[in-house]
Amino acid sequence: MTHPTLIRRSRTWRVLDAFCCIGGATRGYQLLGAHVTGVDIREQPDYCGDDFHQGDAIAFILDHGHEFDFIHASPPCQGEGAPAKGTNAARGNPHPRLIRPTRAALIEAGRCWVMENVAGSEVRKDLRLCGEMFGLSVLMHRYFELGGWNVPQPAHPAHRGYVRGWRHGTYRTGPYVAAYGKGGGKATVDEIREAKDIDWSRDHFNLREALPPAYTQWIGTAHHTALNAMPQAPWDEVA
């Protein structure tokens, strides 16, 4: 097994965002001054990062992961949650299960990393983040497996009410929007953009898939705090 190598660069922190979609995770790291390269199997014309490669994310991690200071990976979640597993099995239309091969590639790369997914997935539950932690109007609970570093779980504040929309035949109002699916009171493009603080895309599907940048801005800061990194910005040495 290759053990993570903790490295400190004298200039820009270089991050790889694997399975990047439009770059919700990317933007959070960029807000901390990182140069972020995204890789995705699909063309992503709205991607907000500094560099983009279209192709297999796992293969890219294996070939190039060692060239980065930190790797973020968000394997597809459609086949991971408990409800999705049952629905996909019933329809005979399973989605790819990529968490295990992604984990193996991340370990092989030998850098510190984080892998994100939904409740019910095989991602180890080292960290859970929720939109309420950042004052967002979307809950979007996500779990994060950490490789080569660790951080205490932050407090999870009480939710302020319901997620707006229909559920089990009852329509409820509330401070949160449902940033998934369509109809039934679920969030519009403009509502998702505002709720997640994503202003560079209007693609409804990709907006639903994207992490709020606040999550990875927090993770990036926590990562460098955990490594007792440089004093000016959390990743840059003082010239």
Side-chain angles (χ1 to χ4, degrees), residues 3 13 24 66 93 98 115 125 145 159 161 178 204:
H3 294 283
W13 185 40
H66 64 281
N93 182 32
L98 299 180
M115 180 166 54
K125 310 304 190 288
E145 179 174 337
H159 297 166
H204 193 267

Side-chain angles (χ1 to χ4, degrees), residues 197-217:
D197 196 17
I198 292 176
D199 61 4
W200 63 90
S201 176
R202 298 196 62 83
D203 185 295
H204 193 267
F205 175 79
N206 286 335
L207 284 167
R208 297 189 329 245
E209 294 291 298
L211 275 180
Y215 287 25
T216 48
Q217 185 177 14

Side-chain angles (χ1 to χ4, degrees), residues 14 32 40 80 105 115 121 132 173 175 191 196 198 228 231:
R14 295 182 57 82
L32 298 175
D40 200 284
E80 296 298 338
M115 180 166 54
S121 75
E132 181 59 33
T173 60
E191 287 174 331
K196 293 188 176 184
I198 292 176
N228 191 27

Side-chain angles (χ1 to χ4, degrees), residues 140-159:
M140 199 173 183
H141 294 98
R142 288 296 182 269
Y143 290 88
F144 299 84
E145 179 174 337
L146 311 180
W149 67 290
N150 209 342
V151 63
Q153 170 64 44
H156 186 177
H159 297 166

Side-chain angles (χ1 to χ4, degrees), residues 63 96 126 137 140 149 205 225:
D63 291 342
D126 296 330
S137 55
M140 199 173 183
W149 67 290
F205 175 79
T225 299

Side-chain angles (χ1 to χ4, degrees), residues 110-188:
R111 298 300 187 224
C112 289
W113 51 267
V114 58
M115 180 166 54
E116 169 266 327
N117 220 277
V118 298
S121 75
E122 295 182 2
V123 161
R124 192 174 62 240
K125 310 304 190 288
D126 296 330
L127 174 68
R128 180 176 74 160
L129 296 180
C130 163
E132 181 59 33
M133 296 176 176
F134 308 101
L136 304 178
S137 55
V138 63
L139 291 178
M140 199 173 183
H141 294 98
R142 288 296 182 269
Y143 290 88
F144 299 84
E145 179 174 337
L146 311 180
W149 67 290
N150 209 342
V151 63
Q153 170 64 44
H156 186 177
H159 297 166
R160 291 171 284 129
Y162 292 109
V163 176
R164 188 199 70 202
W166 288 94
R167 186 171 178 82
H168 304 305
T170 300
Y171 185 88
R172 292 189 172 98
T173 60
Y176 310 108
V177 297
Y180 51 86
K182 292 184 177 180
K186 294 183 175 63
T188 65

